[in-house]
Amino acid sequence: MPKVKVPRKSTSVDMTAMTDVAFLLLTFFMLATKFKPDEPVVVDTPSSVSQILLPESDVILLTIDKDGRVFFGVDGQQMKEQLIQKMGERYKVQFTPEQIKEFSLLSTFGTSVAQLPALLDMKSEDRLKAPQPGIPCDSLVNELGDWIWQTRLLNNNVRVAVKGDGQLAYPKVKQVIATLQEKKVNRFNFITNMEKAE
């Protein structure tokens, strides 16, 4: 019985469609990525084995550096615009529309409400270099408590996260926690670096 010869086909594959898909994916990821915003202070967080993740939105971020300065950050441009107007009314500080717009673009800040207009008038690159003394949160002037309270009035679903430096003295953290409890925030998260569980 004679063998049937199967004709050989070329093994070359047209890669044009695959290249198009690769470039479309690359373009998508470049456009959809959120870059980490510039922070006015660098914080070296302590390590822990906790695996609870923070939500992507509706978060108040309280950052405390090793010198004990407190910085405040919240997401949502519209909420920030409403928030600064409420705080301006409370502390009798007038903000221009340009300053309100600049505030809505800030990731975090660490200055009193009275000094905030001068900070917002700076260019963004100068603002990062400008010294910020931190938000007052002592027993006499507790602006931090007012920022937290006004934010919770605007959005009751907001969660609080505290990001403290590993070298930070404990009394400052205790002061921030006392401010949170004074404003009836008894559930909050500490942000830490991930460590392997043994």
Side-chain angles (χ1 to χ4, degrees):
M1 193 182 248
K3 281 188 172 179
V4 178
K5 278 195 168 183
V6 180
R8 287 192 166 180
K9 293 185 179 176
S10 172
T11 58
S12 68
V13 178
D14 187 17
M15 293 297 290
T16 306
M18 184 66 88
T19 307
D20 288 345
V21 169
F23 277 110
L24 284 173
L25 283 173
L26 180 66
T27 305
F28 170 76
F29 287 120
M30 286 173 55
L31 295 175
T33 301
K34 281 186 181 178
F35 293 103
K36 183 179 175 188
D38 292 331
E39 295 179 353
V41 66
V42 178
V43 174
D44 183 26
T45 56
S47 299
S48 77
V49 293
S50 176
Q51 295 182 2
I52 299 171
L53 297 176
L54 280 176
E56 292 289 323
S57 60
D58 296 338
V59 176
I60 296 174
L61 178 63
L62 303 177
T63 307
I64 313 169
D65 72 350
K66 63 182 177 189
D67 299 326
R69 297 179 300 167
V70 181
F71 293 80
F72 180 89
V74 69
D75 55 352
Q77 287 187 351
Q78 289 180 339
M79 188 162 87
K80 288 181 194 176
E81 289 175 1
Q82 294 173 352
L83 181 59
I84 193 171
Q85 290 171 351
K86 295 273 188 192
M87 290 298 288
E89 291 170 8
R90 178 159 176 73
Y91 285 92
K92 297 179 180 35
V93 176
Q94 292 291 327
F95 293 102
T96 65
E98 293 81 21
Q99 290 171 339
I100 293 172
K101 181 69 177 168
E102 282 297 317
F103 182 79
S104 71
L105 300 175
L106 282 181
S107 59
T108 58
F109 68 95
T111 186
S112 66
V113 177
Q115 296 171 340
L116 199 52
L119 183 73
L120 295 173
D121 286 336
M122 295 180 183
K123 294 180 182 174
S124 59
E125 56 270 3
D126 295 337
R127 194 178 303 133
L128 287 174
K129 297 174 189 171
Q132 296 186 36
I135 298 174
C137 61
D138 55 13
S139 57
L140 294 176
V141 181
N142 193 350
E143 288 185 14
L144 178 64
D146 291 333
W147 283 106
I148 293 167
W149 182 253
Q150 292 298 331
T151 305
R152 292 190 70 213
L153 287 177
L154 292 172
N155 182 357
N156 198 28
N157 297 326
V158 78
R159 295 184 61 186
V160 177
V162 179
K163 182 179 180 181
D165 196 283
Q167 315 255 324
L168 178 64
Y170 179 73
K172 191 63 177 187
V173 177
K174 185 177 178 185
Q175 190 177 35
V176 170
I177 291 173
T179 299
L180 290 171
Q181 289 177 334
E182 178 185 312
K183 297 302 175 184
K184 306 290 188 241
V185 179
N186 294 313
R187 291 187 64 185
F188 49 89
N189 299 70
F190 281 107
I191 297 176
T192 57
N193 284 334
M194 194 63 181
E195 183 180 281
K196 270 189 179 176
E198 293 181 16

